[in-house]
Amino acid sequence: MADAPFRRSPLFHRPPIQGEAGALRIEEQPFVGKFILRADPDAAVEPLRAALGLGLPFDPLTSSALGDTAFLWLGPDEWMLVTAPADAADRAATVRRAVSGFHHQLVDVGDYYTIIEVAGPKAREALMKLTSLDLHPRAFTPGMVTGSVFGRANATIWLPAGSAGEERFRLLIRWSIADYLWCLVAHAGREWGVPEQVPVKGETLTVG
Amino acid sequence: MFLIRCPWCGERDIAEFAHGGEAHIARPEDSEELPDSEWAGYLFLRTNPKGVIAERWNHQAGCRRWFNMLRNTATDDILAVYKVGEPRPEVSANLPATPSGEAAIGSGNDAAKVMAPGERGGPVA
Amino acid sequence: MSKHGYRLPRGGLIDRTRTLRFSFGRQTFDAHPGDTLASALLANGEHMVARSFKYHRPRGILSAGSEEPAALVEIGADRARSDPNTRVTEQEIFEGLKARPQNCWPTLGFDIGALNDVIAPFIPAGFYYKTFKGWPGWMAFEPLVRRAAGLGRAPALPDPDRYEAVNRHCDVLVIGGGPAGMMAALAAGRAGARVMLCEETAALGGTLLSRDPEMLSVDGKAPAEWVAAIRAELESMPDVAILTRATAFGYYSHNFVGVWERVSDHLSPATVPQRMPRQRLWRVRAKEVVLAAGSIERPLVFHENDRPGIMLAGSVRTYMHRYGVLPGRRIVVATNNDSGWDAALDMARAGGEVAAVIDLRSEMAPTHLTEAARRGIAIYGNATIVGTEGRNRISRVAVRPLTRRGGSSRPVEIECDLLAVAGGWAPNVALFAQSRGKLRYDEQIEAFRPGRSWQHERSAGAANGFFGMAECFAEGARAGADAARAAGLDPKPLAIPTVPASGQIGQGPIRVIPELPSNRPKHKIRAFIDLQDDVTTKDLGLAVKEGYRSVEHAKRYTTSGMGTDQGKVANLNAFGFLASVRGEAIPAIGTTTFRQPYKPVTFAALAGQHVGDLFAPRRTTAMHDWHRAHGAVFEPVGDWLRARAYLKEGESFHAAVQREARAARATIGVLDASTLGKVDVRGPDAREFLNRVYTNAWLKLAPGKARYGLMLGEDGMVMDDGVTACLADDHFHMTTTTGGAARVLGKLEDYLQTEWPDLKVYLTSVTEEWAVVSLCGPECHKLVSDLCDGLDADPEKFPFMTLRDAHVGGVPVRVFRISFTGELSYEINIKASYGLWLWQQVMEKGAQYGVTPYGTEAMHLLRAEKGFIIVGQETDGTVNPLDLGLIGMVKMKGDFIGRRSLFRPDSMRDDRRELVGLLTSDPNMVLMEGAQVIGGEAESEPPVPMLGWVASSYFSPNLGRSIAMALVKGGRKRTGEQLWVSRRDGAPVAVMVTATDFLAAREKADG
Amino acid sequence: MQRYNVVSLIREGLRGHAGWQPAWRFPEPKASYDAVIIGGGGHGLATAYYLAKEHGLRDIAVIEKGWIGGGNSGRNTTVIRSNYLNDESAAIYQHALDLWKTLGRELDYNIMMSHRGVLNLAHDEGEARQLKRRVEANRLNGVDSEWLEPEDVKEFCPPISISPAARYPVIGATLQRSGGTNRHDAVVWGYARAADSMGVDIIQQCEVTNIVVEGGAVTGVETTRGKISTRRVGCVTAGHTSVIAAMLGLKLPIESHPLQALVSEPVKPILPCVVMSNAVHVYVSQSDKGELVIGAGIDPYVSYTQRGSLDIIEHQMAALVELFPVFARLRMMRQWGGIVDVCPDASPIISDTPVGGFFINGGWGTGGWKATPASGHAFADLVARGEPNAIAAPFTLERFTTGALVAEHGAAAVAH
């Protein structure tokens, strides 16, 4: 019944799609736990390792992961903590305790961003239609993460390490433009049979 | 299409960056006492050189850090990239022969397209 | 042969087993797969295919590639898919291809426009600068000129096709798939480099495909076989990509190269797979580039050198060996170098009747002379062409010795239906020049060749000035290895393919004569330089004579090289002629600029996938679907779509806004405020930071309290505003305007990173983490209490400008009691994913209070009733806080962004425009926003002195009259004065200057 | 000066065009001039022309480092309009428009001034509000300008799309009917020919390398072709204004940016007017030759290379196709870049300087072409009399100190 709280992800209206023979598969990963952590790495790394058993990635464009929990390097003093939906609150609390001793910022951005997962043998080729990043296997390796421009939108791309078997790229995209990016990725996949996806439109913009 | 080396993220297309104007223009501390002319200088006056410029860039779509860059505005050759707070590096550049003239090569000038008889060939060292 | 028209009985790379039909104008013809429109037309004996731009002279097919200046047609079956100015030499044939002549009326054969040719003596270069000035004026003549100008017609309907851009990085980009390019790709590929090989035509091979396989073998194989073998090896390399039908059109800075791929232009639209785009833009970032785009043959410059049937000798060889077409039966060859002889002998071997070879030189290669003599070809050494005949196709050539010995020798007339001209080969240096390398003029080949490189590229083969086949192989291998090494790989030496001695020959010695002499007086010679724009040597001479001596002036004055081919075959001849009339050397006069693109690229390909629905993102909130479902009209705010008003069945926009605004003060109004910018500000120095970025004071704001803040630029002008709340001593929640969110965060980060690195503050945007429901109205605290578990929102207990944490249905929310309307108001923030649910809760639980959703328009109206500003409406970048009467917002002590600028002389003027209220005497008269305030009831003659302008204007349902805010010179001092607001349609409207808080005024009035 | 008209064309036609005189001389620089104008572009040549014509100064040299009209004059998209917001701007741009109307006849050179109308599109309420404010201000300033509803826009410019479904729907536009385009080369050449005929020395391939100052005042300029003494120097070097000023140790409120433009292949008439859109950042007209002439925004950084980035062009093309879906299959034939000198308030500088006898006319940013005649007219007056007239006064350097800027970002946001 309507009273019970329900959640909606920004791509609620977009069931997974794929190209022929799974050449390219596109799917939203809703409600994944996401937090921005700002802190001095030198101060934060040990307490976090102790608390989570997970170190902060120091090197640009890298990530560290333990099970479903991962830290993504976003900047020299900025990371994204990514967790399984169910663990979000616990992990955040753990981190907050660990860094409480010194100047930091931990912000829940779980609903700010959603994740579009792009997988399949053509994933790299398709994404190269959106970004000027070099996604050649030699250049963009598992574990790497970085922000870039995708079409006309900024997003963060992350290739989780050791995703056994095939690679599953994850695009972290803001709620309000997730639908645009979804359709853009789909467009990139047209040549491999991904069905056309038309952005939500049809709003009345002019008053008669 | 500049290829800019972010000090943290490495070489990226210009599309990922935002330009922040001339670098090393510090905001006056004691603006209160500053004469109007000097405040105007801070607000508006720029060297706008034909030659090496120190300019601010922000890796907007990437790590969101500001950094400084030395570029030869006569050729768009990027000479150095350095972090905020670091001193401006010494560089040598392929500068115009005359103040308003064009760099010997690599400029957009229409006159500098053909080698003068006897001019040394081969690629630029 | 007549049975096949001009198709040779054998040879060529076309598929003779299949026949395709295509049409040109009203006629229908046969062709074979592998044909271009040009080779198919020539096979059918169709030389004349177009009319020139200015004189509408008959134009034939000169070349066999993208350098074609004249043979332009319109193709396409319908009004949406039609492509004007298409080069017949590039368009591949497909079943049902429809081509039409353009720029002629009524027909190609009989074109009224050709009258221009009759009056040609009176319309020389730049004639239009000298006339059409006087009565009746240019505007009267222009329409005629415009109708005569232009070439093809633009499509009449929107383009139904799809395009896309693709990014690529590679170690080595090889441009040109000829012998040099293939060797370069092979060398780099075998070294393990990431290689891209771009070939403009449909097949790799380049010149190899324009040679007689009987005469030229590569490593003992026929050229085509060798090409196939190398291509196979390249394709077997995982990191080598081969693009055909792909033109590198632009060499930009930092080794960025634009490549234009025609994915399906060679297919009938009906047969193009749905999933394939029509064209692609490849955005290539290459570590190293190999330029192997070959060379371009120049025509000879002589009287009447522009007739259909006059072709480049090298192109004739291409038509013979690549397409199996010999475009003439009785052939004359005119040359100034050895390559013309190779062509002539080629044609003879293929069964053409070569009537004569005319060579400007007196020294000719003995091997050529003997072979020609053996074949009974008449030889004219040290000779010139003095004229030609043939209306729509050449029929006769007149020849005489270049240097007359003793008196005039009557020209010899030679019948022919094809004149093949060989003016020498020029390296294709367009991309090298685009890369800003410097050209070097080489007297040996009488052409520019790559001189000094600037970017990471090197040229190879003919593009580098080496025309022999063996040289091209060696050059390519060298360049490929060189590039791979520069890219950090370790290439191994490559075996250079062997070719028979005949393949070694380049063009040999060359004799260039800027304008061949004729028997006519100099000013009667019509020797064409630019076949498209009809530029003759006479025109260039006139330009120099009149002072347009610089190559750029001459080019612009005559339009030489400014056609769709950008002078690929014309420019060098133009420079040569200009140099000769100026009595200088070519390097001394320089060249015009080689601009991008190398050849015209469709707008749509450059736009890529970013058109239509994907043109730009549209940002929507969590409640968007509800708004849509309930009659919302939206307004774009930045990239956001915000509900502007909710129209009920049959309700007008105005009525809806009035209803919503009334409800917000009578019962409860609810607004989706999610789009407001939100920034989480945290750190021990957060207060100090806010104190520096806002005009007002922040050091003492207690946790749980909120405050309105005003942000300026350093120029002292209002940049943004918003409410910022203190969550904890070192933790704040800042809000910004919807449109300003990104700008503000960027600016604040900038100050933190560069100006105040000492401040311990972190900023993180949380704009879209929160959905925001804004409730407004005297009753709304009840609804807030109903919604929030255990929160008593009674205004007494929940003071203005404070916040509370609470829960709705167990979901945590943050409630602010703030107001943008002057009415009792609360803003509930909830995680975005619950936004829609919360909104529905508000509508359900609010029903009993008559809750009414209102949009941005009513919100604007409500805040105006209270006299609140909207940044961007009451401000325009020239308005400071004092102008807005917000002096109370400006702290006296301590610096803040923009403070100093408030003390500049102009900021202290007492006649600055100040924000005031305006009330019309007629309460129903609503002023136009943007209307100008003037000092008198009648407008004087322009310029009318203006006192200011109306920023906001509404009919207020709650005040029962119209209200307006305006920025008026010395406005506040004028309070109580009468002024006037001008109108386009009618007399100025009298208005009373008032304070801006109309609600307060009303309350006062009501006592 | 040899007259240009149909009669002379026919006469010369009959005698093989043997009798045409050079449009200008190629004089050697003299040792001294009453005034030296640095920069042989439209503004510089116009300045020399009006100095000679209206101030009787004939002993003038125009020093051009390359060939006349080779800078922004030969690279701009020749949009002519005067519908600016502020009184100060309206005054100078309208003055220019009035001069344009008769300039062809005055110079005896057809500058192809085509008053085909200029549309400025509004795509959202905010833009509409700003544009309407401009229309109102224009009307009271005597600048012809009107507001069109979408249907009227479509009627005035048939190929445009006014689909309400568009990402940036056209919700209206301002129209200045007297605006339009002209032929840039013709203007440059016309001014040069007329100035030359009054004795002005136009010295091409001559570059100023230094400006000689004695006792705080200019005494001459050093050039690649020798020293020239003079007590009056007018700097009209557009993108290079800062570079020349730097010779005197002057810093200016100017930054020089690349501005790109491009043309399509020529097609038969399809676009009857000039169309500009700030929101999607593109402006377009069709030349007499049939090419669509298209411009966009500037690159954000300082550069003197006359080159820009391809992505600017890509955005520009997407915007164009969005506004004109029927143009999609046309082709970009030629692209190029210029160097525009941009002021913080998007208004020009016509000013004296701390150095006696040294005057600056620059900072026109992306909008200088349309002002050419008025710019030259007002600057000639300043160079001749030493103080700005009423039209130039608001545009002196002083405004940057007092803060009395002439903010025209709204009216000038997109290059034109």
Side-chain angles (χ1 to χ4, degrees), chain C residues 213-230:
Chain C
E214 323 258 297
M215 303 300 293
L216 175 71
S217 65
V218 182
D219 282 342
K221 299 196 196 82
E225 288 173 40
W226 181 85
V227 169
I230 300 300

Side-chain angles (χ1 to χ4, degrees), chain B residues 1-3 13 27 31-32 34 36 39 56 64 66 75-76 104 106-107 110 112-113 115 119 122 124, chain C residues 253-254 256 283 285 436 438-439 451-453 591-593 714 750 753 755 895-896 899-901 905:
Chain B
M1 293 289 279
F2 294 178
L3 186 63
D13 188 280
R27 185 171 186 272
S31 60
E32 191 87 40
L34 223 55
D36 291 328
W39 180 249
R56 293 153 22 87
R64 301 200 295 124
W66 283 93
T75 61
D76 284 341
S107 77
D110 292 349
K113 295 190 304 264
M115 291 170 75
E119 181 177 343
V124 179
Chain C
S253 51
H254 302 175
F256 181 93
R283 312 172 80 252
R285 186 75 73 169
R436 294 189 256 166
K438 264 183 164 184
L439 300 172
R452 199 168 164 206
S453 287
T591 78
T592 50
T593 306
E714 287 290 11
D750 187 351
Q753 290 182 33
E755 291 294 345
D895 194 10
F896 57 84
R899 180 171 196 275
R900 176 62 181 84
S901 289

Side-chain angles (χ1 to χ4, degrees), chain C residues 47 100 157 163 185 750 830 851 952 980:
Chain C
H47 264 272
R100 295 174 292 280
L157 298 174
Y163 304 76
D750 187 351
I830 193 166
V851 68
S952 307
W980 287 263

Side-chain angles (χ1 to χ4, degrees), chain B residues 48 50 71 73 76 98 100-101, chain D residues 65 207 240 242 302-304:
Chain B
N48 194 30
K50 185 168 196 169
R71 182 171 52 91
T73 63
D76 284 341
T98 57
S100 59
Chain D
K65 74 173 177 170
E207 180 180 335
H240 281 80
S242 298
V302 169
S303 178
Y304 289 84

Side-chain angles (χ1 to χ4, degrees), chain D residues 205-219:
Chain D
Q205 303 299 332
C206 177
E207 180 180 335
V208 171
T209 54
N210 190 24
I211 296 166
V212 189
V213 178
E214 289 161 34
V218 168
T219 60

